[in-house]
Amino acid sequence: MRFVESVFAAIGMPFVGLLRLVESFGHFVLFHLRLLPLYVCPPYRFKELLTQIETIGIGSLGIILLSSIFTGMVLAIQFYHGFHRFGAEDFMSYPIFLAINRELGPVFAGLMVVSRAISAMAAELGSMRVNEQIDAIDLLGIDSRQYLIIPRVLGSAISMPILVLVFDVVGNLAAFVIATIVLEANAYSYQTMIQQFFSIGDLSISLLKALVFGILISLIGSYVGFQTKGGAKGVGQATINAVVYSAVTIFGANYLLSALFLALNL
């Protein structure tokens, strides 16, 4: 009898986990749907918004610059290596430009912001929750959700497109320098290929992805931090969950958006 129970328990465990995942996702969606009116209702907390733009945007600028430089350098080396086999080094510039703008810029910048800002967001809100600071804000007659979550989501939505734009520009400049100076590719052909095939859609897609990623990761980070339980250990677990969920969401959303743009021939 115990053996049969063990077998059915083993079979049922994945379904239990799936149901819990669906339940958690439902709570997440409902939580943020209830917040929608607060985005347009006063009071408008511009000071908190500027603080979050500084924390998320300016605070992440250094790691964005470093990661974009090395990404551009590595892409130049690898694309040169591949195109050189066919004697087509003059054609490598636009594929590099396309890879950075449409894919690597939004994804890598998003991951850097997750590791630098979203983890801190979840840890900060989690600490406030377990220390009952959020309850104290509510007792003062201030809506803690509007005070703590709305500025963080809006700050992330504003900061991410700017950070991705910086990543795109610096990454392409780094690739150009390595390709033309170190690898001695033709600088005129490098620039001409980009000018010939460049479209405003390349930039628009990059910024649109950045906006979507910024909103999604801030929604996840603020929700996980706001729902933290279990003291110091819970804060640590909330930080881990925020990073993992946000990173996976970036990869999943990137695929869906790329497939959508391909279907729309953009």
Side-chain angles (χ1 to χ4, degrees):
M1 188 64 181
R2 291 181 179 177
F3 174 75
V4 175
E5 291 177 354
S6 300
V7 171
F8 279 102
I11 295 174
M13 281 299 295
F15 296 98
V16 172
L18 180 60
L19 288 174
R20 289 176 179 172
L21 179 62
V22 172
E23 182 183 14
S24 299
F25 180 73
H27 286 306
F28 168 79
V29 172
L30 291 175
F31 176 83
H32 284 294
L33 285 178
R34 295 189 184 101
L35 293 185
L36 288 179
L38 300 181
Y39 285 90
V40 295
C41 293
Y44 305 112
R45 305 187 182 280
F46 294 108
K47 182 179 179 180
E48 286 76 15
L49 175 59
L50 292 176
T51 300
Q52 293 307 316
I53 292 175
E54 179 183 7
T55 301
I56 299 170
I58 299 176
S60 302
L61 189 58
I63 191 64
I64 291 294
L65 290 173
L66 283 174
S67 59
S68 63
I69 290 172
F70 286 113
T71 299
M73 293 167 65
V74 168
L75 281 179
I77 292 173
Q78 297 300 338
F79 273 77
Y80 180 87
H81 179 71
F83 278 80
H84 181 69
R85 294 185 175 185
F86 304 96
E89 300 91 339
D90 293 342
F91 298 95
M92 74 178 191
S93 60
Y94 185 67
I96 293 176
F97 178 83
L98 202 64
I100 292 177
N101 280 43
R102 287 191 172 228
E103 298 297 333
L104 299 183
V107 171
F108 282 10
L111 293 176
M112 293 301 103
V113 171
V114 166
S115 62
R116 167 63 177 75
I118 301 303
S119 59
M121 181 188 300
E124 182 182 10
L125 292 176
S127 297
M128 294 180 69
R129 171 61 74 186
V130 299
N131 292 329
E132 299 182 351
Q133 290 174 274
I134 293 179
D135 297 330
I137 292 174
D138 289 325
L139 287 174
L140 291 173
I142 301 172
D143 191 326
S144 59
R145 301 170 303 168
Q146 187 179 42
Y147 182 75
L148 296 173
I149 295 179
I150 304 302
R152 285 170 168 78
V153 174
L154 294 179
S156 181
I158 294 171
S159 300
M160 270 299 295
I162 299 174
L163 292 174
V164 169
L165 184 61
V166 171
F167 191 106
D168 293 345
V169 172
V170 174
N172 278 293
L173 286 176
F176 174 77
V177 169
I178 295 299
T180 58
I181 297 179
V182 178
L183 302 175
E184 299 182 349
N186 187 289
Y188 176 77
S189 299
Y190 194 103
Q191 299 176 61
T192 301
M193 286 295 296
I194 294 178
Q195 293 172 358
Q196 181 177 354
F197 292 101
F198 171 79
S199 69
I200 193 65
D202 297 332
L203 181 60
S204 300
I205 287 174
S206 182
L207 297 180
L208 180 58
K209 282 187 175 183
L211 176 62
V212 173
F213 294 168
I215 293 173
L216 290 176
I217 62 178
S218 59
L219 292 177
I220 293 171
S222 59
Y223 173 80
V224 172
F226 206 79
Q227 301 295 327
T228 300
K229 298 177 182 178
K233 183 178 180 180
V235 173
Q237 188 60 50
T239 305
I240 294 172
N241 291 341
V243 172
V244 172
Y245 296 159
S246 298
V248 172
T249 298
I250 285 176
F251 287 119
N254 183 57
Y255 170 76
L256 294 176
L257 289 173
S258 297
L260 176 63
F261 295 142
L262 179 62
L264 297 175
N265 198 27
L266 295 176

